[in-house]
Amino acid sequence: MKVLQFPLARITIAFVFGLLFAKYLLPPFELVFSIIAITSLIFIVIYLSHKIKLSIYFGIVTYILSFLIGISNQIIHTDYFEKSNYIHDKDVFEKPHTIDVTIKEKLKKSSFSDRYIVLVNHIKDKEKTGKLILNISNDSIKPNLIIGTNVRIIGILTKNKPPNNPNQFDYSKYLENKQIYAQLYAEPHEIKISAEIKKDLWYYSAKLRSRIIRNLEQNNFNRTELHVAVALIMGQQQEISPDIIRDYQYAGAVHILSVSGLHIGFILLFVTFLLKPIPNTKRGSILKLIIIILSLSIFGIIAGLAPSVVRSVTMFSFVAIGLHLRRSVNIYHTLLVSILLILLVEPSFLFDVGFQLSYMALFFIVWLQPLLKSLWEQKNKFSTYFWDILTVSFAAQIGTLPLSIYYFHQFPGLFFITNLLIIPILSAIMVLGVLVMILAALNSIPVFVSNLLEWSIYFLNKIINTIASLEQFIIKDIPLHFYLFLSSYLMLITIIIWFKKPSFNKFYVALLSTLTFQISYLIINWNIQSQQELVIFNSSKNTLIAERYGKNVTIFASDSLLKSVTENNILQSYNLENMSKIHKKIVLHNFIYFNGKKILIVDISAIYPANNRPDIILLTQSTKINVDRLLMVLKPKIVIADGSNYRNIQKKWKESCRKYKIPFHTTAEKGFYKLD
């Protein structure tokens, strides 16, 4: 690949590997900065020597230095390493304290609470730093919390917990990637709102968005279409209904609800078109460039500076600068510079799924689309336009396919039809939407203009809904393990390289990578087939047990739960990861035997055999049994309490187990229990 021949590409790759190294291995920063000092000294000595023979060493030292800078950059930008971060104060997780925070971002609300990302200012009147998620219970009296509001709460911080069941989405890890290590729960009456508001960039951005939305609502803009418009133009998805998001996912168009390169590209073209009357003199070109960059930056601020927005604004700003300098803009250099700059400022973006998908889509559009386009030469502008849309869609979908399946486990089969239909409509909506948002911000929006945008989005939603309703074309529950994910990209890239310039060596490499993918699949499949395990899940108000031999799963549960067990989200995640399926369903009784171990299930009936000693006792349904007597008679090796029990009863059981020195495992606190 020619792109790897660019020194900037190798520097960026080394820098990214440095970020990953620091993220997962957490090296001591004193050692890192000592090595950086030594490497920098060697770099300077080689640079000043001006000896051609040392050029190879200069390159090696440069890449090592890039790697080390990546490590140091990750450490510097990781809040966990700051001594003032609240995570280092154990006391705040054990008892209530006065906590002063500033509202930074409003999140999508849950069924039970309004949710915000907040910045910590003080805890116990001591200066602290860090980000939290603030959960405020839904109430008839809701506090008016705008961005920048300073709030005082008396409460206990709750650390993020890993998932209680195997193979589920790890929300705690997701929050950790955003440097949010805890949550705070509060009732509306427990919140004291300060009159002082922190007026920064995010405050004015949110205030402008609020004015735009308020003016559109005053024009009787339908709420469903309004929420989609705000997502399309300003990247704010908090108020979109789950049904609308599901339709866009099933149609393969969910990416348009997040402001990305597609949207910023439309903005760039639109602003460039408006600036055509300005002459292309030296001063005129500078004026155009300033207006374009300012327009893109203002749009990014209004859109909330999300990772996809920052990436797209940065990249297209470099494109605009390249065009202004009248130089041939190397798109690979543009991508690499934007990646490097963004990750220097905010390395956590590297672990953002949207960021990864955006750059992968852009890279494959630039790299693969010309090859796809050359497969069929068009003779007129109309067919060329639609062929371009189709090849761009296929290039982006091919490039993001392994990544999408790895994260979301599904594939929208009609994505190409969706893009053919909505791209022309979306371009018109973006131009009209930007105009409407500008007029709304100026408090002077004509009703007919807002109605035109509303009807356009209504028509767009109808197209998306129609395509999404064809669920037989949506492939769901596709398993993809990490090694398969890596080998699939290796296979994909080597095959494309071979297609671009066929040769025997490239064909051999492509064949070898395909074989690697197949071997990876066979090894994973063999490992799964040889596995045996029994899992006691944490299922709220229910007892749910799975016994797996290879790919065959036997479910033990109550009769009522077994009727809907195929729709159970816990089991769906478990089967997906293990490439397994439900082979048998058995109504739960008092005993389960697994690999020579006897498990006694004690339910609400509180009946158990006194002369049959089990290895494990599972307490369910908040049984009223005398646990002390049970432990004295049966003397199990461990006692487990699942999610069907009340928490206050589990505390008493825990004390009983402690008295008899028997391990106690509660799935609500420690998660699922596994025997293998």
Side-chain angles (χ1 to χ4, degrees), residues 466-519:
T466 302
I467 297 172
S469 64
L470 302 171
E471 292 194 26
Q472 62 269 31
F473 293 99
I474 303 163
I475 306 170
K476 300 178 184 178
D477 299 331
I478 310 171
L480 189 67
H481 287 250
F482 183 69
Y483 294 116
L484 271 180
F485 163 71
L486 293 179
S487 58
S488 64
Y489 265 119
L490 178 65
M491 180 178 67
L492 184 62
I493 290 169
T494 54
I495 288 173
I496 293 171
I497 290 172
W498 171 54
F499 267 110
K500 274 181 166 284
K501 285 188 178 180
S503 69
F504 178 78
N505 287 338
K506 290 176 182 177
F507 173 74
Y508 179 77
V509 173
L511 200 63
L512 196 62
S513 64
T514 304
L515 187 62
T516 303
F517 177 81
Q518 293 173 332
I519 291 171

Side-chain angles (χ1 to χ4, degrees), residues 48-63:
L48 294 176
S49 66
H50 299 292
K51 291 182 179 179
I52 299 174
K53 291 181 180 179
L54 295 176
S55 61
I56 186 170
Y57 300 109
F58 180 75
I60 292 169
V61 172
T62 300
Y63 303 138

Side-chain angles (χ1 to χ4, degrees), residues 16-33:
V16 169
F17 272 110
L19 296 178
L20 293 170
F21 183 87
K23 171 71 176 178
Y24 295 108
L25 296 180
L26 299 174
F29 64 88
E30 295 91 350
L31 177 63
V32 171
F33 287 108

Side-chain angles (χ1 to χ4, degrees), residues 247-475:
D247 283 349
Y248 275 78
Q249 286 174 338
Y250 286 0
V254 72
H255 60 282
I256 72 172
L257 294 177
S258 299
V259 175
S260 60
L262 182 66
H263 304 72
I264 305 299
F266 283 139
I267 301 297
L268 177 61
L269 291 173
F270 181 54
V271 174
T272 304
F273 174 75
L274 293 178
L275 296 177
K276 269 192 174 181
I278 299 176
N280 286 324
T281 59
K282 187 176 181 180
R283 289 185 179 179
S285 296
I286 293 173
L287 180 61
K288 282 183 179 181
L289 178 64
I290 292 170
I291 293 172
I292 287 170
I293 292 176
L294 279 175
S295 300
L296 295 181
S297 301
I298 291 168
F299 182 83
I301 291 167
I302 293 171
L305 297 174
S308 59
V309 179
V310 173
R311 182 264 309 160
S312 302
V313 168
T314 305
M315 191 191 72
F316 280 102
S317 295
F318 275 99
V319 171
I321 292 169
L323 292 172
H324 164 71
L325 295 174
R326 290 180 172 82
R327 293 178 181 174
S328 174
V329 181
N330 188 307
I331 191 63
Y332 294 114
H333 277 162
T334 303
L335 285 170
L336 291 167
V337 170
S338 64
I339 289 173
L340 200 55
L341 283 178
I342 291 168
L343 295 181
L344 274 169
V345 176
E346 190 53 78
S348 64
F349 281 3
L350 179 63
F351 309 99
D352 184 271
V353 178
F355 182 87
Q356 296 170 14
L357 287 169
S358 295
Y359 266 106
M360 196 61 73
L362 273 172
F363 174 75
F364 272 84
I365 287 171
V366 172
W367 187 46
L368 180 59
Q369 193 267 345
L371 175 64
L372 297 177
K373 186 178 179 180
S374 66
L375 296 177
W376 186 20
E377 294 294 333
Q378 300 301 305
K379 295 181 180 180
N380 58 72
K381 289 184 178 180
F382 182 78
S383 59
T384 300
Y385 174 74
F386 283 99
W387 181 240
D388 284 346
I389 292 175
L390 195 61
T391 52
V392 165
S393 299
F394 267 102
Q397 199 69 49
I398 290 169
T400 58
L401 182 61
L403 206 55
S404 298
I405 293 175
Y406 180 71
Y407 283 120
F408 308 115
H409 306 292
Q410 66 180 28
F411 175 70
L414 297 177
F415 72 90
F416 57 95
I417 293 177
T418 301
N419 284 287
L420 276 175
L421 293 174
I422 69 169
I423 293 297
I425 300 170
L426 184 62
S427 58
I429 288 175
M430 284 299 299
V431 172
L432 182 60
V434 170
L435 177 62
V436 167
M437 299 301 165
I438 292 171
L439 294 173
L442 298 172
N443 297 321
S444 60
I445 174 172
V447 176
F448 80 92
V449 178
S450 65
N451 285 345
L452 186 59
L453 178 62
E454 181 185 342
W455 297 332
S456 301
I457 292 175
Y458 173 80
F459 184 56
L460 174 67
N461 286 345
K462 280 293 179 185
I463 293 174
I464 295 293
N465 179 258
T466 302
I467 297 172
S469 64
L470 302 171
E471 292 194 26
Q472 62 269 31
F473 293 99
I474 303 163
I475 306 170

